[in-house]
Amino acid sequence: MIRNKVLRLSSLVRIYYFRLIGFNIKSGASVGKIICNWPNKVSIGFASNIEDNVVFKINQPFDANNGIEIGSNVFIGCNCEFNSSAKIVIGDDCLIASFCTFSDNGHSFENQDLIRNQRCTKQDIVIGKNVWIGTHCSILEGVHIGEGSVIGAGSVVNRSIPPNQVWAGVPAKFIRNRSTHS
């Protein structure tokens, strides 16, 4: 019981500190030991729970449209990484398991020049409401995951997914529609 009180107090101190340096953290949120290079570009919704070692990396902080928006009642497990050059949006009531990576940017790789000399690419990632993403998933640039969908553990999502579907694999493929209870 004392341990829980100490952990809650340390979370409140962390939230207070993060708000001082620019984070937009709504009430009821719980934030673990996270890393963020541009806190004013990250928004965390009401009653969301962000576990330890989550990284919020903003690559183009002076771009007005760049940022990371986490909805309300969202759970993000430990050791997740959000790497943003465009925009990453996580809808309300999502569950994101540990060790997931979200990267809204990539790189051209034409054969005419060295890869390191070629242009970077970027496209928003949008995760709808009530989405469950299993552990060790990678969500790549331009992906939109529809409301109520489920992504199986270890999947690499490189294309958009319609609402209420289950996808899994490398690359992720359609498994089935989510059924409704009668």
Side-chain angles (χ1 to χ4, degrees):
M1 187 160 103
I2 292 173
R3 181 179 185 275
N4 288 341
K5 287 183 180 182
V6 169
L7 290 175
R8 182 65 186 149
L9 179 62
S10 68
S11 178
L12 290 173
V13 169
R14 247 189 316 279
I15 288 171
Y16 179 73
Y17 167 74
F18 288 141
R19 284 179 178 154
L20 280 176
I21 62 172
F23 259 102
N24 179 5
I25 302 175
K26 304 286 191 221
S27 65
S30 173
V31 179
K33 298 171 189 162
I34 62 175
I35 298 168
C36 182
N37 61 339
W38 289 93
N40 63 324
K41 303 296 279 184
V42 179
S43 172
I44 299 173
F46 294 100
S48 289
N49 181 2
I50 313 298
E51 288 195 332
D52 290 341
N53 302 318
V54 172
V55 175
F56 296 108
K57 182 180 177 197
I58 305 295
N59 298 319
Q60 297 181 357
F62 302 111
D63 179 346
N65 297 319
N66 186 8
I68 300 168
E69 299 174 11
I70 309 295
S72 296
N73 298 307
V74 171
F75 172 83
I76 298 175
C78 62
N79 299 300
C80 287
E81 180 180 335
F82 294 81
N83 186 335
S84 180
S85 290
K87 183 171 274 201
I88 299 173
V89 178
I90 308 296
D92 296 341
D93 302 305
C94 288
L95 299 175
I96 299 172
S98 300
F99 297 98
C100 289
T101 302
F102 296 77
S103 183
D104 67 10
N105 52 80
H107 210 280
S108 296
F109 52 91
E110 305 304 322
N111 202 20
Q112 300 92 322
D113 197 5
L114 294 172
I115 292 173
R116 66 182 170 87
N117 292 337
Q118 295 185 40
R119 70 178 182 85
C120 292
T121 59
K122 62 181 182 176
Q123 292 180 333
D124 295 352
I125 293 174
V126 179
I127 309 299
K129 296 178 181 178
N130 190 33
V131 170
W132 176 20
I133 299 175
T135 188
H136 285 91
C137 287
S138 294
I139 312 299
L140 304 180
E141 68 176 312
V143 167
H144 292 226
I145 298 177
E147 183 173 333
S149 288
V150 176
I151 309 301
S155 297
V156 175
V157 182
N158 62 358
R159 64 179 175 246
S160 294
I161 295 174
N164 296 309
Q165 292 188 347
V166 178
W167 285 56
V170 179
K173 293 181 177 27
F174 173 77
I175 303 297
R176 66 179 175 89
N177 288 311
R178 286 186 61 208
S179 60
T180 57
H181 291 86
S182 319

